[in-house]
Amino acid sequence: MKCFKNALCYVEGKGLVKTDILFDEKIEKIGAVSGDAQLIELPENAVVLPGFIDEHIHGAGGADAMDASEEALLTIASTVAAEGTTAFLATTMTQSRENILSAMNAVKEYRNGGHDGARLIGIHLEGPFIAAAHKGAQPLEYVAKPDIEVFDEYNAASGYAIKMVTLAPEEEGACKLIAHLKDKGIVASIGHTGAKCADIEKAIASGAGSVTHTYNAQSALHHREIGTVGSAMLFDELSCELIADTIHVSVPAIKLLAKCKPLEKLVLITDAMRAKGIADGESELGGQKVFVKNGEARLADGTLAGSVLRMNKALENMVKHAGMSITQACDLATINPARVLGIDNEAGSIREGKRADFAVLDDKFNVLYTVCGGKIIYKA
């Protein structure tokens, strides 16, 4: 058994409290702890938060989910541990059938083994069922129409690990696929799309529940057609992903979304690519050259190509720029994605009986410890 002793902890239903937490793989007790336990000494400025959950991340540490190898997935899992992330969805991108199937198989093999680092809880299939005009950094030649049979092939190859699918609801066959995903308990997320409000309403009626990286690669808000961005704000049925790096989304836009959405419907993501955690310079995304400089990752034509954002930095940005408390910002990276993915019964908050997943930060948002399933997977 391990124990945080008299630590400032964000406990479900109680907020920030000074307490002991006794844990092994799960949280055994919150309250006064006596007896033998391995004490984890924390400085006075430390706060124990639930481990962060990143539902949209392509890569980190020089590796990408599309590398289609267990080694790459382990590199990602190890790298994100340093930012307090304890669970993530390996996110794919629009690519050839063969490359997507290889990525699916790699996740299946990885999940069948035992690995250190953050927990790989499944796959976010971003594309290929997107709108060509809103492809962003996705390769145009592999954009495809929504297809249930193709999706089922991918899902089977993954060992049925797909938890979320980004698609454009205005494309032919999209609503049928959305309904199919809903039946299987998979989140349909609206993204890389030129959808109008009427398209979004149809998608919600079919079972869509999320918007992928809100604002980015989607139809903008206009006063005569509110598009995807306006619909994301209008419809509370939709959870909104947000890349809070102040690059993909400006500070005023971050504040506007936070003001318009119920906070439980806002989810922080990194959308990070392989360049996260390594030095600036040339990198790669889906066979395309990417140039990273000063925290920005762009294609040669200037298109933003994923981010190098760390989840602890995303929390800091929400506190410093959007005026949230640390617990409010924490919810956006913990219990909110846990609810979206249907794992809030086991993760996303600090409660007796839940997984012992913790991110321990100091008052400068630096990560001191990351604990996943009771194991220390990162220590500063």
Side-chain angles (χ1 to χ4, degrees):
M1 290 284 186
K2 301 181 183 72
C3 179
F4 293 121
K5 191 71 176 174
N6 194 32
L8 184 64
C9 305
Y10 179 26
V11 178
E12 181 181 319
K14 295 183 179 179
L16 288 173
V17 294
K18 279 272 191 178
T19 188
D20 302 344
I21 300 181
L22 182 68
F23 61 93
D24 193 20
E25 183 177 349
K26 294 186 177 182
I27 298 170
E28 299 294 334
K29 184 179 181 182
I30 300 173
V33 172
S34 58
D36 293 333
Q38 177 188 341
L39 296 182
I40 300 176
E41 299 290 341
L42 299 180
E44 279 298 315
N45 65 346
V47 59
V48 180
L49 305 173
F52 306 143
I53 301 169
D54 195 346
E55 69 178 33
H56 191 153
I57 175 172
H58 295 272
D64 189 283
M66 294 303 296
D67 292 346
S69 72
E70 291 188 65
E71 181 182 9
L73 294 169
L74 179 57
T75 296
I76 297 167
S78 300
T79 303
V80 301
E83 60 199 64
T85 296
T86 54
F88 69 101
L89 293 184
T91 304
T92 60
M93 67 179 300
T94 299
Q95 259 293 339
S96 67
R97 171 181 173 275
E98 292 73 22
N99 286 348
I100 292 175
L101 285 172
S102 293
M104 298 296 105
N105 276 297
V107 170
K108 180 174 67 175
E109 294 302 318
Y110 182 91
R111 280 162 53 88
N112 285 337
H115 299 282
D116 293 330
R119 185 169 58 123
L120 175 50
I121 55 176
I123 294 167
H124 182 160
L125 191 76
E126 187 181 14
F129 311 124
I130 61 175
H134 295 269
K135 65 181 181 61
Q138 309 264 348
L140 177 62
E141 61 266 37
Y142 300 120
V143 171
K145 295 294 184 185
D147 189 303
I148 290 173
E149 288 187 8
V150 172
F151 166 77
D152 284 346
E153 180 184 20
Y154 292 157
N155 200 24
S158 75
Y160 301 95
I162 298 176
K163 306 299 182 188
M164 177 174 279
V165 177
T166 290
L167 47 73
E170 74 275 20
E171 296 295 315
E172 182 182 353
C175 283
K176 288 183 180 179
L177 179 54
I178 291 169
H180 182 69
L181 296 173
K182 177 74 171 179
D183 287 344
K184 294 187 174 298
I186 297 167
V187 180
S189 191
I190 297 164
H192 289 276
T193 173
K196 297 180 178 180
C197 183
D199 299 315
I200 303 293
E201 287 186 291
K202 289 177 183 177
I204 293 171
S206 297
S210 173
V211 177
T212 297
H213 45 50
T214 308
Y215 291 114
N216 296 108
Q218 56 195 231
S219 48
L221 169 65
H222 187 275
H223 58 282
R224 285 191 290 273
E225 170 51 62
I226 64 171
T228 303
V229 171
S231 299
M233 295 180 184
L234 179 62
F235 297 115
D236 288 347
E237 295 93 333
L238 298 172
S239 290
C240 290
E241 291 185 350
L242 176 64
I243 309 171
D245 61 356
T246 74
I247 298 166
H248 282 75
V249 183
S250 70
V251 169
I254 289 172
K255 294 167 77 172
L256 177 62
L257 187 63
K259 185 175 183 178
C260 290
K261 293 297 292 186
L263 287 187
E264 66 270 19
K265 290 293 187 175
L266 198 55
V267 174
L268 292 180
I269 61 166
T270 65
D271 194 16
M273 53 170 292
R274 71 170 75 245
K276 174 160 75 167
I278 60 177
D280 283 4
E282 186 176 315
S283 188
E284 180 272 346
L285 180 68
Q288 305 164 104
K289 285 185 178 180
V290 174
F291 302 90
V292 183
K293 185 178 180 181
N294 299 327
E296 297 186 20
R298 295 183 181 271
L299 301 182
D301 66 2
T303 302
L304 280 170
S307 84
V308 291
L309 178 65
R310 294 163 57 94
M311 193 63 88
N312 58 312
K313 182 63 178 179
L315 258 74
E316 181 181 3
N317 286 339
M318 297 307 292
V319 172
K320 289 187 175 180
H321 298 303
M324 290 188 178
S325 68
I326 189 171
T327 56
Q328 287 174 321
C330 178
D331 285 349
L332 311 190
T334 56
I335 193 62
N336 289 4
R339 289 190 184 114
V340 169
L341 300 173
I343 59 170
D344 52 305
N345 62 323
E346 64 174 57
S349 63
I350 295 175
R351 189 184 74 198
E352 290 179 0
K354 280 196 171 186
R355 285 179 54 90
D357 293 346
F358 307 110
V360 184
L361 274 56
D362 68 14
D363 56 356
K364 303 295 185 185
F365 294 89
N366 299 307
V367 178
L368 304 177
Y369 286 91
T370 305
V371 179
C372 183
K375 294 181 180 179
I376 298 172
I377 60 170
Y378 173 79
K379 180 181 178 182

